Amino acid sequence: EGTRAPKKGVIRSDALRMLGPSQPKFDTHETQRIISVLDETIVKLELSSLIPCILDSLDRFADTLGPELMSDLLEHQRLSRKVEDLLSSSREGEPSMAEEQRESLCLLEEHLKTSVRNILRLLLANPLLCQALPFEVCARQSLAEAFIQTFREFRNLMHERLLTSPLEEREKIQFMEDISLRIKRNTETLTALKAELAATIQSRDEKIHKKDNVIKDLKTSLQDVANNYQISVLQITQEAENQQKEELRAWQARRARLQEDLKQLRAQLCALVLEHRESELALRKKKCKVEMEIEKWIQKYDADMGEKQAEYEELYALYSEEKAQVSLLQEKHNVLIPEYSQIAEERSIREQKRKQDSDELVTMTIAATRIQAFWRGYLVRSLFKIKRKKKKKGGGK
């Protein structure tokens, strides 16, 4: 025992060192980057889980959030309602529309993701608003809170795993194998103790059997007491019978009073039956009168309906005659349509030819004007050259 105590202390210290929290270590740049990414993800998850609560009380945050963020939140609310409507319609819709609904749903989900990213970008740009929102907004949903808590645990586990060196990891594995071996040995010891416990239980059962014999003796003595008890029970039974006879006499007197009351109530019932029969006879007369009036109204209805039927047949004959006239006019119209189309085509050709002649006339007029202008210019230049020549000749003389 003196040699085992230090070993137990060493094992306990090793277990605390292996399974306890890791000592502070130097973080590498890669570890810091990974942890910072996980921290940013947790912040974004917390903010995105607050968006449904903000949408429920959007009017209260109108002044705090600003116009741009309010616009994105309203757009996100509109997209969310569209997705909900599409999902509800897909549950109740026809199978042939499933593919089109899936495409629309995928497109709406992409727009919804973009909307969430825009909202998170605007929220992260305002740190004071991010700090104030958790205190202003109602509590998150339980599923969102559980997911965020699980993600935090994942972040801590990842941080612990990144700070653990390969050597420490191997030491932990070796330690867990030693623990498994020790558990196996303890299980064998426990089996031996169970066998010892079974033997102890058997000896205890033998002692209990001896005590049962003692109890049987005590029961015999109790039987004597029970006999005395029966005598007392007979006395009590006699007293109960006497009391029952007295109660029977009281019940018979009460029964006589109730029978008298029953006779009076029966007399009242007969009077009420006579009265109700008279009222029933009056109601029957009234019913017959109403039935006669109903029969009269039915006959009047049949007469009116006969007149209406005759009027309907007359109108239907007029309608059939007008329908035949319309069919005849429609046939004439169908005959005249090709002639009208041919006339319209000839008019179009004549109009096109007239327009072409007009364009040619305009072109010839413009060409003639330009030719006349060119000819006048040529005549003016010729006269000017002749005058210059005459001046030169006169100057030479």
Side-chain angles (χ1 to χ4, degrees):
E1 293 178 358
T3 57
R4 288 179 184 176
K7 187 178 292 185
K8 289 181 180 179
V10 171
I11 291 171
R12 185 173 297 174
S13 63
D14 290 341
L16 291 174
R17 181 174 62 82
M18 289 292 180
L19 302 177
S22 300
Q23 298 296 326
K25 300 177 183 179
F26 178 74
D27 292 350
T28 61
H29 292 292
E30 289 78 6
T31 303
Q32 293 176 359
R33 289 172 184 169
I34 294 171
I35 296 303
S36 64
V37 169
L38 293 176
D39 291 336
E40 290 177 1
T41 305
I42 290 172
V43 172
K44 290 180 179 179
L45 286 173
E46 291 176 347
L47 291 176
S48 61
S49 64
L50 295 176
I51 291 176
C53 297
I54 295 173
L55 292 176
D56 291 339
S57 55
L58 200 57
D59 296 335
R60 187 161 62 91
F61 298 99
D63 298 332
T64 307
L65 298 175
E68 187 177 1
L69 189 53
M70 282 291 295
S71 176
D72 288 346
L73 286 170
L74 289 173
E75 179 65 18
H76 181 76
Q77 189 178 29
R78 185 181 66 80
L79 292 172
S80 301
R81 288 175 180 172
K82 277 189 176 181
V83 171
E84 291 175 358
D85 295 340
L86 189 60
L87 288 175
S88 62
S89 64
S90 65
R91 295 190 193 100
E92 302 173 359
E94 298 178 357
S96 60
M97 297 295 291
E99 186 65 28
E100 183 179 353
Q101 287 176 351
R102 280 197 295 270
E103 293 178 359
S104 301
L105 185 60
C106 293
L107 184 60
L108 284 173
E109 286 178 352
E110 291 298 326
H111 290 321
L112 200 62
K113 291 176 184 178
T114 305
S115 176
V116 171
R117 284 197 291 269
N118 293 333
I119 292 170
L120 290 177
R121 176 176 55 79
L122 294 174
L123 287 174
L124 292 173
N126 191 348
L128 295 176
L129 181 61
C130 294
Q131 294 175 2
L133 275 178
F135 300 100
E136 297 291 335
V137 180
C138 61
R140 297 185 184 91
Q141 296 180 357
S142 58
L143 293 176
E145 188 66 32
F147 179 75
I148 293 171
Q149 185 62 29
T150 305
F151 198 84
R152 287 198 187 99
E153 293 176 359
F154 170 73
R155 181 259 182 204
N156 296 331
L157 179 64
M158 182 60 69
H159 187 240
E160 182 69 22
R161 190 67 180 270
L162 291 172
L163 293 179
T164 304
S165 64
L167 180 60
E168 291 175 345
E169 187 70 24
R170 286 194 294 272
E171 289 179 355
K172 282 187 178 181
I173 294 171
Q174 183 63 36
F175 179 76
M176 294 304 295
E177 290 177 355
D178 295 338
I179 291 293
S180 300
L181 182 60
R182 199 170 291 114
I183 289 171
K184 183 178 179 181
R185 292 175 181 172
N186 292 335
T187 303
E188 294 174 357
T189 306
L190 182 62
T191 304
L193 290 173
K194 284 182 179 180
E196 185 178 353
L197 178 62
T200 305
I201 291 172
Q202 186 177 359
S203 63
R204 185 199 64 183
D205 291 337
E206 292 174 358
K207 292 179 181 179
I208 290 172
H209 182 67
K210 292 178 181 179
K211 290 182 179 180
D212 288 336
N213 294 330
V214 176
I215 290 170
K216 286 180 181 179
D217 296 334
L218 292 173
K219 283 183 178 180
T220 304
S221 61
L222 284 173
Q223 186 67 31
D224 298 333
V225 176
N227 293 330
N228 297 329
Y229 170 75
Q230 287 179 355
I231 295 171
S232 61
V233 166
L234 289 173
Q235 295 175 355
I236 293 170
T237 303
Q238 187 67 30
E239 294 175 357
E241 288 177 355
N242 295 333
Q243 186 177 0
Q244 184 179 7
K245 290 178 181 179
E246 293 178 358
E247 290 178 355
L248 180 62
R249 286 193 293 269
W251 176 79
Q252 288 175 352
R254 185 180 177 187
R255 178 184 177 185
R257 289 195 301 270
L258 291 174
Q259 285 179 350
E260 186 67 25
D261 295 339
L262 181 62
K263 289 179 181 179
Q264 295 178 0
L265 293 172
R266 282 179 178 173
Q268 293 177 2
L269 177 63
C270 291
L272 290 172
V273 167
L274 292 174
E275 182 181 355
H276 290 165
R277 281 179 181 174
E278 293 177 357
S279 62
E280 181 183 359
L281 182 61
L283 291 172
R284 284 181 183 277
K285 291 180 180 179
K286 188 176 180 180
K287 179 185 176 184
C288 291
K289 185 178 179 181
V290 171
E291 287 178 351
M292 291 175 65
E293 291 181 357
I294 291 171
E295 183 67 25
K296 188 186 295 182
W297 280 106
I298 289 172
Q299 292 175 0
K300 185 179 179 181
Y301 170 77
D302 292 338
D304 292 341
M305 288 304 296
E307 294 176 0
K308 297 290 183 182
Q309 182 67 27
E311 185 179 356
Y312 167 75
E313 290 176 355
E314 183 179 355
L315 292 173
Y316 185 76
L318 292 174
Y319 167 74
S320 300
E321 184 178 354
E322 291 180 356
K323 186 176 180 181
Q325 293 177 2
V326 168
S327 300
L328 182 60
L329 293 174
Q330 184 69 30
E331 291 176 359
K332 293 181 179 179
H333 178 265
N334 293 333
V335 172
L336 292 175
I337 283 176
E339 296 179 2
Y340 174 76
S341 301
Q342 184 177 0
I343 293 169
E345 185 177 358
E346 291 176 357
R347 286 182 182 176
S348 176
I349 293 170
R350 286 198 300 270
E351 183 67 23
Q352 186 176 2
K353 185 175 181 182
R354 187 186 61 79
K355 186 177 180 182
Q356 185 177 0
D357 294 341
S358 177
D359 292 341
E360 289 179 359
L361 180 60
V362 170
T363 304
M364 291 173 66
T365 303
I366 293 171
T369 304
R370 290 181 179 176
I371 291 170
Q372 289 176 1
F374 177 76
W375 178 250
R376 291 194 193 100
Y378 173 75
L379 291 177
V380 171
R381 286 192 296 271
S382 299
L383 292 173
F384 184 70
K385 287 180 181 180
I386 293 170
K387 289 180 180 180
R388 286 180 64 184
K389 288 180 180 180
K390 288 181 178 181
K391 286 181 181 180
K392 286 181 180 181
K393 290 179 178 180
K397 292 180 179 179

